[in-house]
Amino acid sequence: MENYIFDFDGTLADSKQCSILATQDAFLKMNLEKPDQKIIEYYMGIPIKQSFKEISNHELDDKSFARKLQVFRESYKEFENE
């Protein structure tokens, strides 16, 4: 067999807590209400472009949304190392 397919996240590693912390941090840094862990978990698995809009119940223009996504990715990298 030449190829192997496996589910890394949730099987070999669990990035759930990192995602929760990064999401909360991104919302706070964007001066939005910090979402509860349960709400973040509910929307996990949905594309981030949709889930962030659903979680916040706050309309962001394209520029602000891009900034929130950038902040999330930066926060994720920080929490990932911990």
Side-chain angles (χ1 to χ4, degrees), residues 35-79:
D36 182 70
Q37 178 173 334
K38 292 208 182 285
I39 217 84
I40 297 168
E41 289 173 348
Y42 178 80
Y43 285 104
M44 281 185 168
I46 296 173
I48 199 165
K49 289 184 177 185
Q50 180 183 346
S51 66
F52 269 17
K53 290 176 182 176
E54 298 287 332
I55 291 170
S56 68
N57 291 325
H58 181 81
E59 282 296 317
L60 292 175
D61 59 40
D62 289 340
K63 185 177 178 180
S64 296
F65 184 78
R67 175 70 183 134
K68 184 172 23 172
L69 203 51
Q70 178 184 356
V71 171
F72 167 80
R73 289 179 175 142
E74 290 167 359
S75 296
Y76 192 97
K77 285 180 184 179
E78 289 176 29
F79 289 116

Side-chain angles (χ1 to χ4, degrees), residues 3 5 8 11 13 18 20 29 45 47 54 66-68 71 76:
N3 297 314
I5 299 172
F8 178 80
T11 304
C18 186
I20 291 167
K29 287 179 177 173
E54 298 287 332
R67 175 70 183 134
K68 184 172 23 172
V71 171
Y76 192 97

Side-chain angles (χ1 to χ4, degrees), residues 24-42:
Q24 291 173 330
D25 193 51
F27 273 69
L28 289 174
K29 287 179 177 173
M30 293 295 295
N31 297 316
L32 298 169
E33 184 177 336
K34 176 182 167 183
D36 182 70
Q37 178 173 334
K38 292 208 182 285
I39 217 84
I40 297 168
E41 289 173 348
Y42 178 80

Side-chain angles (χ1 to χ4, degrees), residues 4-15:
Y4 297 92
I5 299 172
F6 60 92
D7 181 12
F8 178 80
D9 193 28
T11 304
L12 298 177
D14 187 359
S15 64

